[in-house]
Amino acid sequence: MDVQRMQQEFQIRQFANQDVLLAVSTGVDSMVLLDLLISSVTDIQRIAVAHVNHGLRPESEKEACFINAYCKEHQLDFFQANWTPTSSNIEANARQFRYDFFKKIMNEQGYKVLLTAHHRDDQLETMLMKAIRDGQLTALKGIVASQPFANGQLVRPLLPYDKQTLYDYAKRRELTYFEDETNQDSLYFRNRMRQQVVPLLKKEHPQVTEHFQQIAKQVEDNEALLEEVLWEQEKGMFKKTTTGWSLDLSLFQKRSPLVKKYLLEKAAQIVRSTGTVALSQKQINQTLTLLDEHKSQWLLNIAHGWVIRRAYQTLVLEKKPEQQERQAVTLMEGTQLYLSDHQWIGLFQSPVEESLLPPKVQTWSTMSVAFSDELALPLSVRKRQDGDRIALTPELTKRLSRWLIDQKIPQTQREDAWFVLDSTKKGLVFFPFLHSYLSIAKETDKIRYVLLYKCQK
């Protein structure tokens, strides 16, 4: 491809009439992009260059000085940041630093387009790496040509061209650029792909980069089609919650196996994009298998404290709260205390003066249970234990675990409940669910004690 044709193609890019920020490393890719930009596109509002000095090589300072001088000569705004190398995850941390820097400039200076110099060889390397690492079909979407970023768009206009085309362009235009010696270091996965795998593929078929670019576009188009005709119709069954995400299984379980698999994978992709937790394909498959077993409740550990939990007709992805061991607490007449940051309990003589309660809990939901003067004090309040029973009538005593199963109470609500016993170890109340026959009706004149439970919903 000749220089004139590349310049002509550049004149119709979607970043015309925009304020453009260009990421420049001083390598051949970004210097070609910069030259194409200033020599071909005449209707750009503003052009600026952003450069990160990674400090990994002695030549880094020389390269920073070069691009700074280049921008002064061509009257381009120039922004530079210096990165302090980390001891581990150098590639990932450096990339995060770069894009945070680019985002900061765009937000502060009002640039609407960020251009990076990714090309067709980068696309091939990325697709191979992601496919090997993730085992996901979405990995074959590779590097997209354009996507939302900061307050505008991230655009990669060199994706149609392979690396050799860029070298040829730079030679004909007599461009100055710098080769990064760390690109030859086999310590990095990408470098091994670039040096050992990609050359073999190109030798096998010279058009391999073009073919992988076509595959990437086909996968991107197919994904967009599925999103339009399927995800947009079904995404209402997924909800963002205060602790994570939930899925309405009453709707989900009516779908075909293939549709369910797609919906879970799409939901996992969206969750992953938020940076909270990443679900592997194995975990997605495990979830589908567990759902097919029709168990009403189960829990699957994911990573970093995150779990997928089924609670009857709801599937929840959330971070599991840290378990707080709590010893039994004692309640005497007049005692009031917080059981947690959203639960409170108190034992009072009847009637209860609400104005004497903590202001924080006065608006919380209330459950009150009345007792006569035969109540055996002190009371104890603790979490449910194996074998706990409660007398529903003088003749009927029921195991709490059985009652919870019969009522289909979700596991998280079970763990949040509190069991109140009198001094003889008789179960009185299981807050907030039920109380024993030992309590008395509120309309009688025998009430002496009122046990108040308040919770913030």
Side-chain angles (χ1 to χ4, degrees):
M1 180 178 294
D2 59 31
V3 168
Q4 185 177 5
R5 181 179 170 186
M6 287 184 68
Q7 291 175 333
Q8 288 173 347
E9 290 179 351
F10 240 67
Q11 291 175 1
I12 58 173
R13 297 297 183 183
Q14 69 260 40
F15 45 80
N17 299 308
Q18 298 283 348
D19 295 327
V20 173
L21 178 67
L22 177 62
V24 176
S25 66
T26 72
V28 64
D29 314 332
S30 58
M31 292 307 299
V32 166
L33 179 56
L34 179 56
D35 184 77
L36 280 167
L37 198 64
I38 63 178
S39 66
S40 306
V41 186
T42 58
D43 50 359
I44 291 179
Q45 301 295 323
R46 287 188 298 162
I47 299 176
V49 168
H51 175 75
V52 175
N53 182 345
H54 293 96
L56 293 170
R57 298 171 294 112
E59 298 82 7
S60 296
E61 193 63 36
K62 178 181 177 181
E63 294 165 9
C65 291
F66 164 77
I67 191 59
N68 189 2
Y70 182 102
C71 290
K72 288 180 179 178
E73 179 184 349
H74 292 84
Q75 298 181 332
L76 304 175
D77 290 335
F78 178 69
F79 302 93
Q80 178 178 327
N82 299 315
W83 181 61
T84 302
T86 56
S87 58
S88 60
N89 297 324
I90 292 177
E91 281 187 294
N93 291 334
R95 184 184 187 280
Q96 186 66 50
F97 180 86
R98 286 197 302 274
Y99 281 91
D100 287 346
F101 174 54
F102 302 151
K103 187 177 296 184
K104 181 174 183 290
I105 297 172
M106 292 179 71
N107 289 332
E108 292 180 354
Q109 302 296 325
Y111 292 96
K112 296 300 182 182
V113 178
L114 171 67
L115 300 185
T116 64
H118 293 91
H119 47 78
R120 228 161 55 193
D121 286 53
D122 291 327
Q123 179 74 286
L124 173 58
E125 294 164 8
T126 299
M127 292 170 69
L128 290 172
M129 290 169 61
K130 290 172 69 176
I132 292 170
R133 183 179 59 223
D134 299 339
Q136 299 279 349
L137 179 62
T138 53
L140 296 182
K141 187 171 70 172
I143 305 171
V144 296
S146 178
Q147 67 188 71
F149 181 79
N151 58 339
Q153 291 286 311
L154 167 57
V155 181
R156 301 173 175 101
L158 296 185
L159 279 180
Y161 312 112
D162 63 15
K163 184 82 169 186
Q164 189 57 52
T165 299
L166 303 186
Y167 276 125
D168 293 343
Y169 179 97
K171 182 178 180 180
R172 291 170 187 172
R173 292 282 290 174
E174 298 181 345
L175 301 182
T176 300
Y177 58 86
F178 296 83
E179 294 285 3
D180 186 347
E181 292 180 359
T182 61
N183 288 337
Q184 307 303 316
D185 191 342
S186 60
L187 175 66
Y188 303 113
F189 185 20
R190 181 176 291 274
N191 289 350
R192 294 195 297 273
M193 297 296 295
R194 181 174 298 163
Q195 297 162 17
Q196 302 170 24
V197 178
V198 171
L200 288 176
L201 293 176
K202 286 185 174 182
K203 184 177 180 181
E204 187 68 28
H205 200 297
Q207 292 180 301
V208 65
T209 59
E210 181 179 352
H211 290 172
F212 267 73
Q213 178 68 10
Q214 292 171 0
I215 292 171
K217 187 63 171 66
Q218 290 169 6
V219 172
E220 183 180 352
D221 290 345
N222 288 341
E223 186 177 277
L225 178 62
L226 278 172
E227 185 167 332
E228 180 180 332
V229 302
L230 186 55
W231 176 253
E232 286 299 319
Q233 296 180 20
E234 304 286 5
K235 66 181 182 181
M237 67 180 71
F238 295 89
K239 302 290 184 184
K240 183 76 176 72
T241 67
T242 56
T243 57
W245 289 264
S246 68
L247 167 62
D248 184 347
L249 291 176
S250 64
L251 299 174
F252 182 81
Q253 293 290 62
K254 296 176 182 178
R255 306 302 183 257
S256 70
L258 279 178
V259 170
K260 288 194 287 189
K261 188 171 188 290
Y262 165 76
L263 293 176
L264 268 193
E265 289 174 345
K266 180 64 178 178
Q269 182 182 343
I270 292 173
V271 170
R272 183 175 186 174
S273 69
T274 66
T276 49
V277 64
L279 276 68
S280 68
Q281 188 63 47
K282 179 180 179 181
Q283 290 164 339
I284 293 172
N285 293 339
Q286 285 178 315
T287 301
L288 291 168
T289 299
L290 287 168
L291 288 173
D292 285 342
E293 292 176 358
H294 302 295
K295 294 180 180 178
S296 59
Q297 296 196 85
W298 47 260
L299 184 143
L300 176 64
N301 290 303
I302 302 301
H304 309 297
W306 284 85
V307 298
I308 294 177
R309 173 176 56 81
R310 178 170 184 172
Y312 298 101
Q313 290 303 305
T314 303
L315 190 70
V316 177
L317 172 65
E318 64 184 1
K319 192 148 192 180
K320 191 175 182 180
E322 294 182 6
Q323 295 296 321
Q324 296 182 346
E325 294 297 328
R326 187 73 183 266
Q327 299 294 324
V329 295
T330 301
L331 284 184
M332 295 293 293
E333 179 185 321
T335 302
Q336 53 178 298
L337 53 88
Y338 286 92
L339 297 170
S340 69
D341 59 359
H342 62 281
Q343 296 168 301
W344 172 96
I345 198 169
L347 179 65
F348 305 92
Q349 276 199 15
S350 179
V352 178
E353 189 65 48
E354 285 277 340
S355 61
L356 299 179
L357 305 183
K360 180 179 177 180
V361 307
Q362 289 181 18
T363 59
W364 291 5
S365 299
T366 303
M367 180 178 176
S368 64
V369 185
F371 295 94
S372 71
D373 57 6
E374 296 179 359
L375 181 65
L377 298 178
L379 307 183
S380 60
V381 186
R382 60 168 172 77
K383 290 296 186 180
R384 176 175 61 93
Q385 298 175 0
D386 291 342
D388 281 342
R389 307 178 72 92
I390 191 166
L392 302 180
T393 71
E395 295 79 26
L396 176 62
T397 298
K398 194 151 190 176
R399 192 183 294 268
L400 286 180
S401 58
R402 183 70 257 171
W403 183 90
L404 289 167
I405 293 171
D406 293 343
Q407 299 299 315
K408 297 183 177 180
I409 304 299
Q411 186 63 33
T412 51
Q413 294 182 31
R414 300 181 191 188
E415 294 172 355
D416 219 23
W418 294 88
F419 193 40
V420 182
L421 305 91
D422 67 10
S423 61
T424 68
K425 304 304 180 184
K426 291 180 180 177
L428 301 177
V429 190
F430 187 45
F431 284 124
F433 299 114
L434 78 163
H435 54 81
S436 74
Y437 82 96
L438 297 171
S439 62
I440 59 177
K442 295 181 180 179
E443 59 270 13
T444 71
D445 57 2
K446 297 181 180 180
I447 297 176
R448 177 173 179 180
Y449 300 105
V450 175
L451 184 59
L452 277 184
Y453 168 84
K454 286 178 169 283
C455 66
Q456 184 182 36
K457 293 185 177 179

